[in-house]
Amino acid sequence: MTVQPFISPDLIRQRFSKAMSDMYRKEVPLYGALMELVEKTNRDVLARQPDIARQLNSSGEIERLDRERHGAIRVGTASELATLARLFAVMGMQPVGYYDLTPAGVPVHSTAFRAVHEEALQVSPFRVFTSLLRLELIEDPALRAFAESVLAKRSIFTAAALQLIELAETAGGLNATQAEEFVLQALETFRWHHSATVSAAQYQTLSAQHRLIADVVAFKGPHINHLTPRTLDIDIVQAQMPAHGITPKAVIEGPPRRQCPILLRQTSFKALDEPIAFTDQPETRGSHSARFGEIEQRGAALTPKGRALYDRLLNAARDELGDFPNEGNAARYNALMTRHFAEFPDSVAGMREQGLAYFRYFPTAKGLAASGLGEVSLEDLLREDYVKAEPLVYEDFLPVSAAGIFQSNLGDAAQAHYGEHSNRQAFEQALGRSTLDELGLYAETQQRSLEDCEKALAVKLI
Ligand code: OOG
Ligand code: NI
């Protein structure tokens, strides 16, 4: 008998991402409509703007664009989160970043599971924004105890998924047959369930405390609540959504429209009411809104200096607005954002010279043809057109934007005030490991690209 070799975790992730997309398309028909709109917009942008096409070609991003998705889930207990971390690790995904959503009145804290190396991201950039409910923020002790007891009874993983996770850990990987089974089993955790695990009255009590609490506690598993494609022009998609029967939220989250996109811009459309059956009323159908649609446009990853500037300008615009952005003040918000962000250089050269963004450096044909340059500076190589700089794409999320997405999909009634805030330590304890610092990952990718240039051009950077 021949022994099957291990299959790369990156390929398992690629297959899982495809399986997730197929499942979601079946579960949420509007997702299919949104995907078509995004694909058409991306084709149009590439045809109309050769600069963007050229940049995506030279960074290799063009190959991952159509596969690019992020999903989101919410879990209820530390042990669910810790097992998820192990499940994602089988697919080469690690927890990156810590996001505290309590300042926005959402009782969760979160991380993003994703691949961390540029080569792995190239195979599959699939990522999952994963939130842990903070039951300690429920003030009523009886309700908290009830939520804990409901969560304690459920198992969100299939027995086979747990076995395959353990096998991958002990053996060091999965072969093709095992990986195929793993994808099927892992998918079950993210599936939508029409039947709730609580009675109608219990659901109402949980929901009255916070709609998000009902969403996490009242179901068998952490259904994927959205799956987001990446567009090259979010303003076009936002403008065209109504004509496709989709009503987007009032404002696009993140930075304003720019020549050189930075970080992440996102918009979403409301969760649909879905029929559900409660334990005491299997026939009478209740309704619950969990799932929504979202699209995103990604731009350059910012350095600590660039991020500080982004945060300052965003806060200044929001302070001046004096309220959460909504339908009534959307036009004023957009104008304020544009005015404040005029201070943020909007060119590759400007962002590079001021150290605001991370870049990847690529040798040019001209550089490869030149030889014997010896010791040179990066500035010299750029000036001579021996290397070129492409902004490194932002792979993560933004806390203020995520809060806006949560709020618009849960409804305004979902806002609450929590005295207790950020608790990364408790999150990491639940997770069973620490989260990775995204800025360090970008710096490493940038550094590797510089080393590759040194090798390819046989130069020593000084
Ligand atoms: C996650 C909301 C945040 C994003 O892209 O920032 C998010 C959730 O609703 O579970 O998806
Ligand atoms: Ni999202």
Side-chain angles (χ1 to χ4, degrees), residues 46 52-53 56-57 59-66 122 232:
L46 290 170
I52 293 186
L56 293 176
N57 266 311
S59 67
E61 270 171 79
I62 195 83
E63 287 147 34
R64 57 177 251 193
L65 185 66
D66 290 343
Q122 186 67 14
L232 296 175

Side-chain angles (χ1 to χ4, degrees), residues 70 226 228 266 294:
H70 86 249
H226 63 285
T228 302
Q266 298 168 291
E294 185 193 50

Side-chain angles (χ1 to χ4, degrees), residues 250-251 321-336:
V251 302
L321 187 72
D323 197 359
F324 283 114
N326 57 43
E327 234 150 86
N329 61 24
R332 180 150 177 269
Y333 177 68
N334 290 335
L336 285 171

Side-chain angles (χ1 to χ4, degrees), residues 18-310:
K18 169 83 171 59
M20 178 79 95
S21 184
D22 292 346
M23 178 176 87
Y24 203 65
R25 200 183 284 260
K26 277 193 212 122
E27 288 184 349
V28 184
L30 221 45
Y31 171 70
L34 184 69
M35 283 307 302
E36 276 165 33
L37 178 56
V38 167
E39 276 160 18
K40 183 183 177 310
T41 307
N42 288 355
R43 272 197 310 276
D44 289 352
V45 170
L46 290 170
R48 260 198 346 264
Q49 293 175 258
D51 270 5
I52 293 186
R54 184 201 49 75
Q55 191 203 326
L56 293 176
N57 266 311
S58 73
S59 67
E61 270 171 79
I62 195 83
E63 287 147 34
R64 57 177 251 193
L65 185 66
D66 290 343
R67 291 200 292 272
E68 190 132 355
R69 303 277 186 284
H70 86 249
I73 54 168
R74 307 150 183 175
V75 294
T77 67
S79 106
E80 288 176 355
L81 182 68
T83 308
L84 265 180
R86 293 168 57 211
L87 177 141
F88 284 131
V90 175
M91 301 188 248
M93 296 162 82
Q94 301 195 49
V96 180
Y98 170 78
Y99 303 88
D100 174 27
L101 279 300
T102 52
V106 184
V108 302
H109 42 186
S110 322
T111 190
F113 286 95
R114 66 168 178 88
V116 297
H117 191 288
E118 58 278 11
E119 282 165 13
L121 286 161
Q122 186 67 14
V123 179
S124 169
F126 180 63
R127 49 200 140 216
V128 181
F129 191 90
T130 303
S131 302
L132 174 65
L133 181 61
R134 295 181 68 179
L135 282 177
E136 75 273 19
L137 298 178
I138 300 184
E139 268 164 29
D140 175 358
L143 186 63
R144 197 184 324 136
F146 171 69
E148 277 165 4
S149 75
V150 174
L151 288 169
K153 276 191 239 135
R154 75 179 189 182
S155 168
I156 64 169
F157 304 98
T158 67
L162 293 172
Q163 276 163 13
L164 286 161
I165 293 170
E166 225 170 284
L167 179 67
E169 287 171 347
T170 48
L174 297 179
N175 67 32
T177 315
Q178 292 157 348
E180 199 181 320
E181 184 60 18
F182 172 81
V183 167
L184 288 178
Q185 294 294 335
L187 204 57
E188 289 305 307
T189 296
F190 304 94
R191 192 181 287 287
W192 173 251
H193 298 281
H194 288 285
S195 47
T197 54
V198 298
S199 70
Q202 289 164 336
Y203 175 90
Q204 287 314 329
T205 313
L206 291 167
S207 184
Q209 177 74 32
H210 200 297
R211 289 206 19 220
L212 186 112
I213 297 175
D215 182 57
V216 177
V217 175
F219 294 89
K220 279 190 205 138
H223 36 258
I224 185 105
N225 64 46
H226 63 285
L227 197 59
T228 302
R230 176 174 166 195
T231 179
L232 296 175
D233 194 326
I234 198 167
D235 296 287
I236 295 183
V237 182
Q238 169 99 347
Q240 292 190 357
M241 278 157 90
H244 289 75
I246 307 173
T247 312
K249 68 195 284 299
V251 302
I252 293 177
E253 297 288 346
R257 185 176 182 87
R258 297 161 42 93
Q259 285 296 320
C260 278
I262 52 170
L263 297 173
L264 176 64
R265 302 182 70 210
Q266 298 168 291
T267 186
S268 66
F269 52 90
K270 279 227 163 55
L272 309 163
D273 271 346
E274 322 211 32
I276 49 166
F278 297 109
T279 50
D280 58 334
Q281 309 171 350
E283 281 97 51
T284 20
R285 303 233 124 183
S287 87
H288 176 74
S289 57
R291 295 176 308 169
F292 58 94
E294 185 193 50
I295 47 167
E296 65 182 23
Q297 179 175 358
R298 291 189 173 264
L302 300 185
T303 59
K305 184 180 171 197
R307 181 55 188 267
L309 180 57
Y310 170 79

